[in-house]
Amino acid sequence: FSKRGFIVRSFGTGTHVKLPGPAPDKPNVYDFKTTYDQMYNDLLRKDKELYTQNGILHMLDRNKRIKPRPERFQNCKDVFDLILTCEERVYDQVVEDLNSREQETCQPVHVINVDIQDNHEEATLGAFLICELCQCIQHTEDMENEIDELLQEFEEKSGRTFLHTVCFY
């Protein structure tokens, strides 16, 4: 997204950072204060081969070059034009948080969810889809009036269902 000229931030919405572990019911759980470097070294110590093979070490290495640690959305007070989520549960948490904040400027923010399975292949395909969506939104004359039609076109084209709502700051 950054390479395509978009200003992007990435957040978690849970109470902790959860990364895949040795089994689906055994994730690695970290506090949001834990740096990517600390997570990387912890997983390296636990099972270098497993976390290299599943791509987690690569992801953490990339992330630590972008920012020191994960950020929690609910702790961020910055204003956004568009918030994209990739899981309905996260979408619900974002909308709930935005609706619980005191409205100060009444500036709208569009929150859109595209369900993407949490694996490398789906994430790659989803990233291209979301990037194309963002480019189309960027080129609309009047986002407020065109976004519903645009999302409908993307649903038909991709075979995915999008959730969309507008919240206000």
Side-chain angles (χ1 to χ4, degrees):
F1 291 92
S2 297
K3 290 177 183 175
R4 301 270 172 107
F6 293 106
I7 299 168
V8 178
R9 301 267 306 272
S10 175
F11 297 91
T13 56
T15 54
H16 292 88
V17 177
K18 292 182 183 173
L19 297 176
D25 62 335
K26 294 180 181 175
N28 290 286
V29 180
Y30 301 98
D31 187 274
F32 272 95
K33 293 180 179 113
T34 310
T35 66
Y36 287 123
D37 206 34
Q38 290 167 323
M39 292 178 208
Y40 183 95
N41 289 329
D42 182 52
L43 297 182
L44 199 61
R45 182 182 50 76
K46 286 180 178 176
D47 190 337
K48 181 181 179 180
E49 187 176 326
L50 171 67
Y51 298 112
T52 299
Q53 182 182 345
N54 69 10
I56 300 297
L57 290 177
H58 175 73
M59 178 192 75
L60 290 171
D61 189 50
R62 185 188 67 217
N63 289 355
K64 69 183 179 179
R65 284 183 263 138
I66 297 169
K67 60 185 179 182
R69 66 183 45 82
E71 296 175 274
R72 188 168 186 259
F73 178 77
Q74 293 88 333
N75 297 339
C76 177
K77 299 306 172 203
D78 295 341
V79 175
F80 300 96
D81 299 319
L82 178 65
I83 297 173
L84 295 155
T85 62
C86 299
E87 186 179 339
E88 189 170 345
R89 175 187 59 82
V90 174
Y91 172 86
D92 291 341
Q93 289 172 324
V94 167
V95 170
E96 180 183 333
D97 179 68
L98 289 169
N99 286 335
S100 72
R101 297 180 185 190
E102 188 175 327
Q103 290 183 358
E104 296 173 4
T105 64
C106 291
Q107 178 181 331
V109 56
H110 291 266
V111 185
I112 299 172
N113 183 73
V114 185
D115 272 326
I116 297 174
Q117 290 179 2
D118 196 6
N119 63 55
H120 187 71
E121 185 178 340
E122 276 292 308
T124 302
L125 293 171
F128 282 110
L129 177 68
I130 290 171
C131 192
E132 186 180 348
L133 173 64
C134 289
Q135 288 173 321
C136 289
I137 289 171
Q138 188 177 40
H139 291 105
T140 58
E141 297 280 328
D142 181 2
M143 182 170 88
E144 302 302 322
N145 289 317
E146 296 177 40
I147 195 161
D148 287 332
E149 187 178 323
L150 186 63
L151 289 173
Q152 189 172 349
E153 288 174 21
F154 266 81
E155 283 184 347
E156 291 168 9
K157 178 181 174 179
S158 67
R160 296 174 189 255
T161 303
F162 290 65
L163 296 173
H164 170 245
T165 194
V166 180
C167 296
F168 296 90
Y169 287 105

